[in-house]
Amino acid sequence: MRMHIDPIWQGRFLVDKPREKDHRPSFRRDRGRILHSAAFRCLQAKTQIHAIGENDFYRTRLTHSLEVAQIGSSIASQMKLSETFADLYESVNIDKSELKNKLVALLPSNDLIESLCFAHDIGHPPFGHGGEVALNYMMRNDGGFEGNAQTFRILTKLEPYTFDAGMNLTRRTLLGIIKYPTLLDVSSPQYHLFLDSTTNHSYVNLNDWRPGKGLFRDDWTMFEWVLSPLSKKDIALFGQYKTIRTSPRDSLKTAYKSLDCSIMELADDIAYGVHDLEDAIVVGVVHLHQWQEALTELKQSSSSWICEHIDELSNKLFSEQPYERKNAIGALVNYFITSIKWTITAEFDEPLLRYNAKLPEDVLAVLKVFKNFVLKYVINNVETQRIEYKGQRILTEMFHIFESNPERLLPYNIANRWRESIDVAKKRVICDYIASMSDAYALKLYQQL
């Protein structure tokens, strides 16, 4: 059983020699490319949950990504501690101290985990998930659209650091950004169910057009390159689904992700569940009487720490003193981070796939209470949904406008890409352009058109 990382994971698609006197390690160079990219800067004007400009306190996609990076680095540090290995001692037949040293050597550096956290949202379009649904609908006959797939596409193709390989990041960084190692048009049902749909594009039903999870078929060649160091057995196992389709409308989700991706995803979930709740409390979207619903559920938790502290935390969350609320937010984030442990995913040959970070079931259940509360009272809040719906209408209409006369209305470089693309890829060029916009720019351009 191999317990070391092959140097091939630091390779790049294009040969890439550091500039003169540049002695930075590979992952630090990846981090710099992401930080200096236009796609990353654009996150400052993209919706996290609440519309940009509604309130200065709200987190944007950019501030969210910065917080995810801080949490991700803390998780990686936490996973070096002895107690996080406890669940593996009986399942791995080697000396405990030797196991710890080998597992610690697998962990991503701060540069790597920050790269993943900075990049994880750069594929999300304007107007949040409403924008994602709108573009998925507009691309329904051309491979679909999904934010994580667009992130991979930006990193490997669209960001103009190289001619045709995007940022030309290391293979391990690209592996870490892939949450769902499958094809979007396989995991999503809509493209087969509604292929000949004549639905009026102005009134798209969100429930019908939420995308599944996976990568675009257009980017499959680069995905195969990322996975090329893996054995055939690992590649087949990595693409397995954790769900089965019991109805034609069911989306499929893959079962596995890399160690680095599991850390990044946990950091994202913690930030989403705790920080977005903080936003909603501060600006009055949720109130203490609504929180009683979550509080009742949390008091029945099997987590002893939560049962002991949740009353005090709740009082602080809704206190009129900002420092008390920040104290509660910090305590909750610390609770989740310090609960994370190592786990074995499956019998992969590749250690980057065999091991993941995980939350124990009782702690994971607590995090789900927070995430479900945010979903119900913040994301599904009628005001939030109306703003999201407005953005959806803007994007579908703008897509039709560009598609009707692309050479006249698209920017010069985008129009050139459209002309040079084969017919089946022309809509993807328009989709890439719209997805790259900030909320404010999309609204401004729509008004101009």
Side-chain angles (χ1 to χ4, degrees), residues 277 291-303 305-308 310-311 313-314 317 332 335-336 362-363 365-370 373:
L277 173 63
W291 178 247
Q292 297 305 311
E293 180 182 318
L295 183 59
T296 300
E297 195 171 350
L298 290 169
K299 284 183 174 180
Q300 299 170 357
S301 168
S302 56
S303 167
W305 188 91
I306 282 292
C307 289
E308 182 180 347
I310 192 57
D311 282 326
L313 290 170
S314 296
L317 283 173
L332 285 166
Y335 161 70
F336 289 121
D362 59 332
V363 184
V366 171
L367 183 57
K368 285 181 178 178
V369 173
F370 279 84
F373 183 82

Side-chain angles (χ1 to χ4, degrees), residues 337-379:
I337 290 174
T338 56
S339 298
I340 288 171
K341 300 183 182 298
W342 289 80
T343 189
I344 294 177
T345 59
E347 291 304 314
F348 286 102
D349 297 324
E350 173 56 56
L352 286 176
L353 301 184
R354 188 186 317 131
Y355 299 103
N356 270 196
K358 73 161 187 176
L359 282 172
E361 289 302 318
D362 59 332
V363 184
L364 185 61
V366 171
L367 183 57
K368 285 181 178 178
V369 173
F370 279 84
K371 289 173 65 179
N372 289 340
F373 183 82
V374 170
L375 176 64
K376 180 175 180 179
Y377 287 104
V378 184
I379 295 176

